[in-house]
Amino acid sequence: MSEPRATMSSDWNPQSPQPNQNPRDSSGVPWWAIERTSEVQPPSQGYPYEAEPRIPGPRHSQPPGPGPSAYEPPAPPTVDITPTYRGAIVARLRRFSFLHARHAWERRRRDPLAPHGMALFYCEPSGQLYDQLRTATRIFLADDEAASLPHLLYGLAQHAREGFAGDPRFDPRTNMCNKTDDMSGQAVFAGIGVVTLDTPYGDWPTAQRTARSEADLPGRCYARLIDGTMLVLDRGGEQQFNAMTVECSVRDGNLQYGTPSMHWRWNPAIAETPESDPMYHVWRWMGEIGRIIDHGSRPR
């Protein structure tokens, strides 16, 4: 499967667990490393990494220079996914979803966009607690490969696997995305998000026929984070009173973050999506992309 096309439009500016292993235990194997549905193999190892000049690669170290001392790669930094960080992800996905809907509506008859977009989340440890989120995002031109969200994610997983295996300079923020926040070399990969215009209120073709303007377009978002958190966001249009519902697979302080336009709910069933559910393969391939990026971003 060829890599899905991305638009580079200048007007786009979106801001089986192991025995005795708890998947949410940060001291153990990352959650996507024990994904029971995993089929894509980890990228090959043994090649050095050279960071991109503008955006240094996360958690990568340079090969040793000449000298008597043996090179010992540092241990990979950990990511502390706090309630504040999860809340920032929800806010960023909400904005990404709205802007994606706006551009998809404006371009529905001219160089149309696919109904889906992707975001990679990074944690900037040098930032303040409320300002640690950094993102890299990508939107796609409409074509057959980008029409189905599970197949789009499957293609991106293959792209990431082949990229890390074949290019020592591969960086998913620049090689898989078309807009990236400024971040330091200490930024750590923290998860993946998806925005889509296929929602419980109707798919994208239906929305185009019935909406009067971009304000009528609802959106749905998904996120899988490195600590095991799974989030589902439903952003309503004017017909849904612009309400937003957030379902989270883990308990955190944001459960009390209820406003007339946002309801944050604890729903552990998200993490137990059965294979018969159409969303199963969305979660599956989001997890695979996360596993590949997390593995490929470790020191070598």
Side-chain angles (χ1 to χ4, degrees):
M1 177 174 180
S2 61
E3 178 196 352
R5 294 186 299 151
T7 176
M8 301 298 289
S9 172
S10 61
D11 63 353
W12 175 254
N13 188 29
Q15 296 288 344
S16 125
Q18 303 295 328
N20 301 320
Q21 176 86 34
N22 183 346
R24 296 195 179 101
D25 184 355
S26 60
S27 64
V29 180
W31 61 271
W32 34 56
I34 56 175
E35 189 72 33
R36 64 187 179 90
T37 60
S38 176
E39 293 179 352
V40 178
Q41 296 300 314
S44 59
Q45 301 185 23
Y47 53 85
Y49 176 88
E50 295 183 22
E52 294 288 343
R54 186 175 67 85
I55 306 175
R59 296 193 290 180
H60 285 65
S61 55
Q62 299 295 326
S69 60
Y71 172 69
E72 295 183 2
T78 58
V79 182
D80 184 15
I81 305 296
T82 63
T84 300
Y85 189 82
R86 279 190 283 264
I89 284 177
V90 167
R92 187 68 59 88
L93 279 176
R94 185 181 196 179
R95 174 174 170 78
F96 186 15
S97 175
F98 175 78
L99 291 174
H100 176 235
R102 169 184 290 175
H103 284 265
W105 177 259
E106 292 173 346
R107 296 175 54 167
R108 66 192 184 280
R109 298 188 180 94
R110 173 188 56 84
D111 200 19
L113 299 178
H116 319 296
M118 178 191 69
L120 301 179
F121 304 124
Y122 289 81
C123 184
E124 183 64 81
S126 61
Q128 298 294 324
L129 181 63
Y130 56 85
D131 186 33
Q132 292 184 326
L133 175 63
R134 302 291 186 272
T135 60
T137 57
R138 180 170 179 176
I139 56 175
F140 305 87
L141 292 174
D143 60 18
D144 292 341
E145 293 181 356
S148 164
L149 180 55
H151 286 88
L152 175 65
L153 294 171
Y154 169 79
L156 290 169
Q158 305 307 309
H159 179 43
R161 178 181 63 83
E162 294 168 2
F164 279 113
D167 183 0
R169 296 176 60 86
F170 183 81
D171 187 333
R173 294 168 296 182
T174 53
N175 294 101
M176 294 179 63
C177 300
N178 47 35
K179 180 175 174 58
T180 305
D181 293 342
D182 291 332
M183 58 187 92
S184 73
Q186 286 70 49
V188 182
F189 177 70
I192 177 174
V194 168
V195 298
T196 179
L197 295 170
D198 291 337
T199 73
Y201 307 108
D203 60 15
W204 174 227
T206 300
Q208 293 181 73
R209 293 194 303 268
T210 59
R212 296 165 299 178
S213 69
E214 65 188 56
D216 286 333
L217 297 176
R220 170 165 272 205
C221 312
Y222 304 92
R224 288 198 77 158
L225 308 184
I226 197 170
D227 69 336
T229 300
M230 301 169 73
L231 293 160
V232 179
L233 292 66
D234 279 310
R235 177 188 59 78
E238 287 191 345
Q239 294 299 313
Q240 295 80 39
F241 307 103
N242 296 311
M244 184 167 179
T245 299
V246 181
E247 293 186 340
C248 184
S249 65
V250 300
R251 290 183 181 272
D252 67 15
N254 288 307
L255 295 175
Q256 307 303 319
Y257 181 47
T259 68
S261 62
M262 179 181 291
H263 302 279
W264 193 297
R265 302 167 181 167
W266 175 49
N267 183 5
I270 298 174
E272 303 296 333
T273 303
E275 294 188 34
S276 58
D277 192 307
M279 296 316 304
Y280 173 81
H281 289 290
V282 172
W283 291 122
R284 172 188 182 183
W285 292 110
M286 287 179 68
E288 195 62 37
I289 294 170
R291 183 193 67 80
I292 293 168
I293 295 176
D294 181 60
H295 178 92
S297 299
R298 294 179 182 273
R300 304 191 179 277

